[in-house]
Amino acid sequence: MSYDHYDGNVSSVAVNLMYQPFRNVGFGLGYRSLFISLTHSRSSTTVQFDQTFRGPLLSMNASF
């Protein structure tokens, strides 16, 4: 995405494996990644911001 002097992007990736051994209870294992990048440019100055979050995910779900 770009606007005026700003240019950036946001990307997200997720992989999940779910297992529901019981009718109302299940478990999950996954991996998440979030990438954020932003650049602000003027005639003589450029400022850049990059942030990355990555890691495993453990979950439990209940249904009624």
Side-chain angles (χ1 to χ4, degrees), residues 12-16 29-35 53-57 59:
S12 178
V13 177
V15 176
N16 296 314
L29 179 65
Y31 190 82
R32 300 273 194 264
S33 296
L34 176 66
F35 306 98
F53 298 99
R54 294 185 215 188
L57 173 73
S59 64

Side-chain angles (χ1 to χ4, degrees), residues 4-54:
D4 202 19
H5 300 283
Y6 298 93
D7 185 30
N9 59 43
V10 176
S11 301
S12 178
V13 177
V15 176
N16 296 314
L17 182 63
M18 303 295 289
Y19 176 60
Q20 191 149 354
F22 309 107
R23 182 177 178 190
N24 296 336
V25 178
F27 303 96
L29 179 65
Y31 190 82
R32 300 273 194 264
S33 296
L34 176 66
F35 306 98
I36 302 170
S37 177
L38 178 65
T39 303
H40 175 71
S41 299
R42 288 265 169 142
S43 58
S44 63
T45 306
T46 299
V47 178
Q48 186 172 354
F49 171 80
D50 291 311
Q51 183 71 51
T52 302
F53 298 99
R54 294 185 215 188

